[in-house]
């Protein structure tokens, strides 16, 4: 390649409330079902393909990083080295779907840079495959193609999954990050997977029977308790939010509390959450673009 080709892509953050893991020998059929919130902020990626480098390099907010999912996504779309500059407007490693958003935004950017003319489903299938193979995620990519409150009803690659939605309109999400959780360490723990699948199946049935935001957050909180994934400090934040009249749960998988305030009590919920750390404010998102 004699010239440098450039492209940009964006994919939104996604907070999972509850999920169920579906293992399969075929990576295309491996994944998760569950329900979560798509955010208006996420990952922006810029790519340069060509003579600018002799090996693929990934920079996150200006710093050179190891990003297995992004590297694998790039390798599945081109055999030419790529320079990837990622700007993260969501926390990384804290339950905001940053790994999936990174892979998906890079897929969109490379599709633009190389004029590949792939469909959104095709790009998402590649990003999902990269997530599954690296053990960094199972279902965020499917949800990140959409907006609002997404219910993932069938596992596997995005082009073969089933999705539904909670009619929620626009909403505000407040979140406080308390720490990091390794997705890989959780989904490779067999006893934990059994608890997750039992609680996730129960939560899914309830939300499909009564698909409202309030019920989603309630079932998400029950899921964190039943699985044992709820952290002590996160429990304190959730209880404080509930005392203020709000509803909250812990992001999966991350040591992060998220809340959707009711009309009229956003300021109070924000104040209560700020006692535990910085509060991030998001709105409902609109999916990917390049």
């Amino acid at each position: 390649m004699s010239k440098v080709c450039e492209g940009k892509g964006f994919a939104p953050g996604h907070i999972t409330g509850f999920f169920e893991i579906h293992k399969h020998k075929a990576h295309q059929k491996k994944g998760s079902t569950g329900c979560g919130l798509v955010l208006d902020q996420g990952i922006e990626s810029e790519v340069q393909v060509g003579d600018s480098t002799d090996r693929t390099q990934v920079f996150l907010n200006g710093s050179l990083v190891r990003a297995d999912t992004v590297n694998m996504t790039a390798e599945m779309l081109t055999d030419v080295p790529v320079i990837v500059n990622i700007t993260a407007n969501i926390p990384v490693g804290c339950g905001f779907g940053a790994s999936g958003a990174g892979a998906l935004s890079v897929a969109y950017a490379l599709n633009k840079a190389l004029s590949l003319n792939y469909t959104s489903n095709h790009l998402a299938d590649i990003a999902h495959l990269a997530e599954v193979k690296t053990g960094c995620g199972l279902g965020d990519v499917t949800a990140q193609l959409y907006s609002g409150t997404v219910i993932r009803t069938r596992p596997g690659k995005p082009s073969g999954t089933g999705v539904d939605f909670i009619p929620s309109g626009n909403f505000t999400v407040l979140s406080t990050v308390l720490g990091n959780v390794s997705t890989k360490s959780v989904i490779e723990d067999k006893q934990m997977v059994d608890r997750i699948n039992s609680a996730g199946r129960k939560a899914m049935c309830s939300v499909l029977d009564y698909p409202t935001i309030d019920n989603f957050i309630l079932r998400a909180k029950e899921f964190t308790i039943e699985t044992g994934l709820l952290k002590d400090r996160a429990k304190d934040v959730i209880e404080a939010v509930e005392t203020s009249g709000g509803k909250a749960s812990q992001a999966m998988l991350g040591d992060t509390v998220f809340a959707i305030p009711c009309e009229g009590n956003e300021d109070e919920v924000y104040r209560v959450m700020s006692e535990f750390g910085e509060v991030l404010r998001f709105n409902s998102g609109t999916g990917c673009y390049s």
Side-chain angles (χ1 to χ4, degrees):
M1 185 175 292
S2 58
K3 67 174 184 176
V4 175
C5 297
E6 299 180 340
K8 296 181 181 181
F10 169 84
H14 173 248
I15 295 177
T16 297
F18 61 82
F19 66 105
E20 181 180 352
I21 297 170
H22 300 264
K23 294 189 175 182
H24 200 284
K25 290 181 180 179
H27 286 108
Q28 297 93 333
K29 296 182 178 181
K30 185 177 180 180
S32 67
T33 51
C35 185
L37 309 168
V38 179
L39 308 176
D40 63 333
Q41 298 181 49
I43 299 289
E44 297 175 298
S45 292
E46 297 184 23
V47 299
Q48 294 179 333
V49 189
D51 296 334
S52 55
T53 183
D54 59 357
R55 61 186 177 88
T56 294
Q57 294 178 293
V58 181
F59 295 86
L60 174 61
N61 294 336
S63 298
L64 183 65
V65 295
R66 175 178 174 176
D68 294 340
T69 306
V70 168
N71 274 283
M72 185 171 290
T73 299
E75 289 170 2
M76 286 191 281
L77 287 167
T78 179
D79 57 2
V80 178
V82 181
I83 291 180
V84 181
N85 286 292
I86 294 174
T87 301
N89 297 309
I90 52 175
V92 176
C94 302
F96 289 85
S99 175
L104 195 51
S105 62
V106 167
Y108 267 73
L110 285 170
N111 189 56
K112 181 74 171 179
L114 300 174
S115 299
L116 300 175
N117 297 322
Y118 290 139
T119 65
S120 294
N121 272 339
H122 185 85
L123 297 172
D125 284 352
I126 289 172
H128 174 77
L129 191 58
E131 273 233 289
V132 168
K133 283 187 172 182
T134 58
C136 294
L138 289 170
D140 284 315
V141 168
T142 296
Q144 286 161 332
L145 282 176
Y146 302 97
S147 61
T149 309
V150 182
I151 307 171
R152 293 173 286 109
T153 57
R154 284 203 311 271
K157 63 181 182 178
S159 64
T161 57
V163 296
D164 207 339
F165 306 88
I166 293 177
S168 52
N170 295 324
F171 52 77
T172 297
V173 180
L174 301 179
S175 63
T176 298
V177 176
L178 305 172
N180 300 75
V181 173
S182 168
T183 296
K184 194 171 185 178
S185 67
V186 174
I187 64 178
E188 291 183 351
D189 183 329
K190 186 180 184 304
Q191 290 185 334
M192 177 58 75
V193 169
D194 289 341
R195 293 200 297 270
I196 286 171
N197 286 352
S198 176
R201 198 172 303 118
K202 176 182 173 183
M204 177 68 85
C205 288
S206 176
V207 166
L208 288 175
D209 284 343
Y210 191 56
T212 67
I213 285 288
D214 283 352
N215 191 40
F216 159 68
I217 296 183
L218 174 61
R219 302 311 168 190
K221 187 185 77 167
E222 290 179 349
F223 173 88
T224 66
I225 295 170
E226 292 174 12
T227 57
L229 288 167
L230 180 61
K231 304 289 186 180
D232 289 341
R233 195 148 177 258
K235 181 181 178 182
D236 292 340
V237 181
I238 292 169
E239 289 177 348
V241 170
E242 290 175 341
T243 299
S244 73
K247 294 180 175 65
S249 186
Q250 181 177 313
M252 296 288 113
L253 288 158
D255 191 4
T256 294
V257 173
F258 71 94
I260 299 181
C262 301
E263 186 176 350
N265 79 334
E266 181 176 334
D267 290 344
E268 179 61 15
V269 172
Y270 186 99
R271 184 193 67 76
V272 167
M273 293 180 74
S274 66
E275 294 176 2
F276 296 87
E278 180 184 5
V279 180
L280 305 175
R281 182 185 274 109
F282 303 97
N283 294 314
S284 51
T286 57
C288 306
Y289 58 81
S290 60

